[in-house]
């Protein structure tokens, strides 16, 4: 059996027996278009990094039990090959839980929806599913382990488990699952390292496995906590937070380059190894953004820019030059110029000439299914997107509509096709006044999954309508449900129109590109929805902000005619959108 390439000394790492300091940056392959992986990896090397780190999202790689998807955006072996070709090592973080502000923390909904299942525990159903997943995932990755000449020098066990539980036997099961499937590389755990809650570091550690910390400031204090916990071996910050993520309706988070660079210098001056989180944040394409749920449900925005070293579109931000100067004081930096920004598409207006009513289109998108009571999205076998629920109102006049279990996560209510109101989970809303114009009036409820909780005890929260629905206290029954995952768009009954269209509708337009380049989709006058270009789901937009523009990767575009489709959930005051050459991530606490 090959030996691990990365080992430990009393105060550091050894790579093939030689002293080695890990200078790493987080770069999630699944948040970057595959045709841009090589560019981002090259910019990591030019910064002076010798390693990159990535999570592995279980829910995308295994959309159903017994499957494994390694295509396109999920071609992890290809990403590892490109990192190796660039001369970079890799820290691999396969979970099974990853957090990462990612939908469900990376845990698949088909698993967490099982009644009574305890995720991140020794629940036999959970560990059996993890084992079956690793049986499929690890063999294609085996050639990329450093012991066999590949770039992967270390593999993480779970992720910040001490903030969730304290079951050492569960962690031991995961470590054994990796070892028995051929992973010989160094194993490590990571947990929050701070004086206010040292118990998290202890709870998330595993004997015989390297403990690393996560923090963004108070560097000396955090390193002291880590050293007190682990008396010998390397000091490493496995997530050195240099920015933060954003929620809809909250300010865009920023951290000054000078402040972050000073903290990095303190960390490196102490002799510690580091993984900069994030080197390149990227984008939550499609419906992959997660959510937090402390006192209220707060979904994450589409951009995962994170105020990182590279911006969302891969351009060097203010931290790039500042960090390169710091790294140069502690290690050799390539004698090559700092890379410049990527080309951008010239500003282009796009008119959406065709529209189709989304409630009507439900019949084209999926057949209706009949239920006595409204099922959850998970019961429908659906992970992401929307569900359209419909029934009849057996009453006339003003009534009280109540969702006894709430909604997951945002419901638009219609009576005979007319908007009756919106219920939002983040506002703790579950009751609505409706006016029925006739006996048997049609009630439609369009429910959007805005992202499953990615942190804390609410992981696995159900989506769709999550309990019985009553009208003036009486149950409403006999529901027709249309699952609308929107993982691809079929031909829809578009019709030409030159006037604004109200209500949930698909809108389509075309535009011409001479030379594909990065762009940003600006949607002033539009309210909330989802955007696709040439069938590629760019993610959600929302006038609530802070994010005001969606990133359009150059590889999504093609020379000649391109197609833009929007699903606008409310209404627009215009038929036009604009492709621009600048991002707009919104307001900050400073403006």
């Amino acid at each position: 059996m090959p030996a691990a390439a990365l080992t430990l000394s009393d105060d550091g790492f050894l790579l093939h027996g030689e002293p080695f300091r890990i200078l790493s940056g987080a770069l999630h392959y699944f948040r970057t278009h595959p045709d841009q992986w090589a560019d981002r990896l090259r910019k990591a090397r030019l910064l002076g990094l010798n390693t990159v780190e990535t999570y592995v999202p279980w829910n995308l790689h295994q959309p159903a039990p017994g499957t494994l998807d390694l295509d396109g955006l999920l071609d992890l072996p290809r990403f590892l090959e490109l990192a190796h070709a660039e001369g970079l090592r890799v820290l691999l973080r396969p979970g099974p839980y990853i957090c990462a502000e990612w939908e469900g923390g990376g845990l698949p909904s088909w698993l967490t929806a099982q009644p009574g299942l305890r995720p991140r525990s020794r629940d036999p159903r959970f560990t059996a599913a993890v084992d079956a997943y690793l049986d499929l995932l690890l063999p294609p990755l085996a050639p990329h382990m450093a012991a066999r000449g590949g770039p992967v020098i270390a593999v993480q066990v779970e992720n910040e488990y001490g903030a969730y539980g304290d079951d050492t036997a569960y962690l031991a099961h995961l470590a054994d699952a990796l070892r028995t499937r051929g992973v010989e590389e160094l194993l490590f755990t990571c947990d929050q390292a701070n004086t206010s809650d040292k118990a998290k570091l202890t709870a998330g550690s595993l004997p015989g496995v390297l403990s690393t910390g996560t923090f963004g400031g108070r560097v000396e204090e955090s390193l002291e906590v880590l050293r007190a916990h682990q008396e010998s071996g390397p000091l490493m910050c496995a997530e050195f937070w240099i920015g933060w993520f954003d929620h809809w309706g909250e300010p865009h988070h920023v951290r000054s380059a000078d402040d972050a660079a000073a903290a990095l210098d303190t960390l490196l001056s102490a002799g510690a190894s580091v993984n900069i989180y994030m080197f390149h944040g990227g984008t939550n394409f499609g419906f992959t953004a997660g959510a937090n749920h402390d006192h209220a449900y707060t979904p994450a925005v589409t951009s995962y820019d994170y105020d990182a070293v590279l911006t969302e579109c891969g351009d060097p931000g203010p931290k790039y030059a500042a960090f390169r100067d710091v790294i140069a004081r502690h290690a050799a930096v390539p004698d090559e110029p700092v890379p410049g920004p990527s080309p951008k598409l010239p500003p282009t207006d796009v008119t959406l000439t065709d529209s189709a009513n989304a409630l009507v289109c439900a019949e084209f998108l999926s057949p209706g299914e009949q239920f006595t009571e409204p099922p959850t999205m998970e019961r429908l076998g659906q992970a992401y997107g929307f569900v359209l629920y419909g029934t009849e109102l057996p009453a006339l006049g003003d009534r009280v509509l109540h969702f006894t279990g709430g909604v997951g996560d945002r419901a638009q209510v219609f009576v005979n096709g007319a908007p009756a109101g919106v219920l939002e989970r983040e506002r703790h809303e579950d009751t609505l006044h409706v006016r029925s114009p006739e006996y048997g009036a049609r009630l439609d409820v369009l429910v959007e999954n805005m992202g499953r909780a990615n942190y804390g005890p609410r992981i696995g929260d159900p989506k769709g309508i999550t309990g019985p629905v009553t009208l003036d206290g009486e149950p409403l029954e006999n529901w027709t449900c249309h699952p609308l995952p929107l993982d691809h768009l079929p031909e829809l009954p578009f019709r030409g129109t030159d006037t604004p269209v109200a209500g949930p509708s698909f809108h389509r337009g075309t535009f011409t590109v001479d030379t594909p380049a990065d762009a940003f989709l600006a949607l002033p006058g539009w309210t909330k929805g989802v955007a696709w270009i040439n069938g590629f789901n760019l993610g959600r937009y929302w006038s609530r902000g802070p994010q005001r523009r969606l990133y359009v990767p150059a590889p999504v575009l093609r020379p000649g005619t391109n197609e833009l489709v929007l699903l606008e959930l409310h209404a627009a005051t215009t038929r036009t959108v604009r492709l621009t050459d600048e991002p707009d991530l919104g307001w900050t606490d400073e403006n």
Side-chain angles (χ1 to χ4, degrees):
M1 185 71 68
L6 188 70
T7 55
L8 309 180
S9 67
D10 287 341
D11 59 357
F13 292 104
L14 299 173
L15 184 62
H16 301 299
E18 298 296 325
F20 183 74
R21 191 215 294 251
I22 296 174
L23 300 173
S24 176
L27 167 56
H28 300 157
Y29 59 96
F30 47 91
R31 282 181 160 131
T32 301
H33 194 285
D35 291 350
Q36 297 173 322
W37 289 343
D39 171 79
R40 308 309 192 248
L41 291 165
R42 173 177 171 270
K43 289 169 179 173
R45 179 183 62 79
L46 292 180
L47 182 68
L49 302 181
N50 55 30
T51 307
V52 292
E53 169 268 308
T54 186
Y55 283 123
V56 181
W58 182 5
N59 53 0
L60 286 198
H61 282 290
Q62 193 167 67
T67 65
L68 183 69
D69 188 349
L70 292 176
D71 294 331
L73 199 70
L74 300 175
D75 192 349
L76 177 54
R78 176 171 174 256
F79 177 81
L80 297 177
E81 289 172 0
L82 291 171
H84 197 202
E86 196 63 51
L88 295 167
R89 274 79 178 186
V90 175
L91 305 177
L92 194 66
R93 305 172 76 184
Y97 165 78
I98 64 172
C99 185
E101 294 70 59
W102 187 256
E103 222 273 350
L107 299 181
S109 62
W110 55 259
L111 175 62
T112 57
Q114 294 183 24
L117 180 132
R118 293 176 292 113
R120 307 180 71 188
S121 78
R122 281 180 290 164
D123 184 325
R125 292 175 296 170
F126 184 76
T127 54
V130 172
D131 291 345
Y133 166 58
L134 294 178
D135 283 341
L136 297 175
L137 177 70
L138 292 178
L141 305 185
H144 304 283
M145 298 294 164
R148 302 188 184 189
V152 178
I153 57 173
V155 179
Q156 183 174 294
V157 178
E158 244 275 355
N159 184 58
E160 289 191 326
Y161 181 69
Y164 181 85
D166 59 2
D167 188 351
T168 302
Y170 162 64
L171 296 179
H173 176 94
L174 296 180
D176 184 64
L178 294 170
R179 291 296 192 216
T180 57
R181 288 164 179 81
V183 175
E184 292 299 315
E185 303 309 327
L186 177 77
L187 300 182
F188 68 99
T189 60
C190 80
D191 286 281
Q192 298 162 29
N194 54 71
T195 55
S196 61
D197 196 354
K198 299 178 184 178
K200 291 180 180 178
L201 190 59
T202 302
S205 298
L206 184 63
V209 172
L210 176 69
S211 294
T212 68
T214 62
F215 50 86
R218 298 183 177 179
V219 174
E220 298 97 332
E221 173 187 313
S222 297
L223 291 177
E224 288 176 4
V225 170
L226 190 57
R227 179 52 77 209
H229 168 74
Q230 191 168 247
E231 294 182 358
S232 65
L235 291 171
M236 179 167 178
C237 181
E239 286 187 17
F240 177 57
W241 305 319
I242 64 167
W244 208 243
F245 51 91
D246 296 339
H247 294 129
W248 292 111
E250 298 178 2
H252 169 52
H253 291 84
V254 295
R255 181 180 183 182
S256 77
D258 288 345
D259 178 65
L264 177 63
D265 191 42
T266 300
L267 183 61
L268 296 182
S269 295
S273 287
V274 66
N275 176 53
I276 298 166
Y277 196 98
M278 297 288 298
F279 166 68
H280 175 52
T283 308
N284 297 313
F285 294 120
F287 302 116
T288 58
N292 287 98
H293 199 309
D294 296 322
H295 303 294
Y297 172 81
T298 50
V301 304
T302 298
S303 170
Y304 200 67
D305 177 90
Y306 212 88
D307 199 30
V309 180
L310 294 186
T311 66
E312 183 178 10
C313 68
D315 290 345
K319 293 185 176 77
Y320 195 97
F323 280 25
R324 199 170 191 250
D325 288 344
V326 168
I327 292 171
R329 297 174 204 153
H330 302 275
V333 170
D335 185 18
E336 300 177 51
V338 172
S342 65
K344 303 297 186 296
L345 197 72
T348 303
D349 289 332
V350 183
T351 300
L352 291 98
T353 56
D354 306 323
S355 296
N357 184 294
L359 302 186
V360 174
C361 284
E363 294 289 346
F364 291 86
L365 293 167
S366 73
E369 302 179 35
Q370 306 301 316
F371 296 88
T372 301
E373 292 187 345
T376 63
M377 183 178 286
E378 290 77 9
R379 185 179 171 190
L380 292 168
Q382 182 181 345
Y384 317 110
F386 302 78
V387 178
L388 178 63
Y389 300 84
T391 189
E392 293 183 353
L393 295 174
L396 179 68
D398 293 331
R399 304 289 172 174
V400 175
L401 186 68
H402 178 55
F403 295 78
T404 61
V407 295
D409 300 298
R410 191 173 189 270
Q412 294 173 248
V413 181
F414 305 86
V415 177
N416 281 355
V422 177
L423 299 174
E424 293 186 341
R425 178 182 175 189
E426 62 183 290
R427 300 181 186 274
H428 305 282
E429 296 170 335
D430 58 15
T431 303
L432 188 68
H433 161 250
V434 296
R435 178 167 295 170
S436 177
E438 59 185 352
Y439 289 99
R442 179 71 181 177
L443 174 72
D444 286 305
V445 184
L446 182 64
V447 184
E448 178 182 6
N449 167 10
M450 287 289 295
R452 290 182 177 82
N454 54 250
Y455 186 83
R458 295 180 185 265
I459 293 172
D461 50 334
K463 299 301 179 181
I465 294 179
T466 56
V469 180
T470 63
L471 189 71
D472 286 350
E474 295 297 320
L476 286 175
E477 298 181 336
N478 301 319
W479 293 82
T480 300
C481 302
H482 294 275
L484 305 173
L486 300 182
D487 45 9
H488 67 279
L489 290 177
E491 290 294 324
L492 295 173
F494 283 109
R495 297 178 58 186
T497 178
D498 57 2
T499 60
V501 177
S505 296
F506 291 95
H507 305 273
R508 181 180 64 184
T510 61
F511 59 99
T512 301
V513 169
D514 293 330
T515 303
D518 285 341
F520 303 90
L521 181 63
L523 298 121
W526 298 80
T527 305
K528 187 182 192 303
V530 186
W532 292 261
I533 287 184
N534 297 329
F536 184 90
N537 191 330
L538 300 176
R540 301 181 181 97
Y541 65 88
W542 199 355
S543 59
R544 180 173 292 181
Q547 181 179 1
R548 297 190 181 101
R549 296 175 184 173
L550 296 178
Y551 172 52
V552 182
V556 168
L557 302 173
R558 56 194 178 214
T561 301
N562 293 259
E563 180 185 69
L564 169 68
V565 174
L566 300 182
L567 170 58
E568 168 57 52
L569 296 172
H570 292 279
T573 59
T574 177
R575 301 288 301 173
T576 303
V577 300
R578 188 170 178 80
L579 290 165
T580 74
D581 56 1
E582 293 183 353
D584 187 348
L585 296 175
W587 69 92
T588 69
D589 284 328
E590 300 173 357
N591 58 25

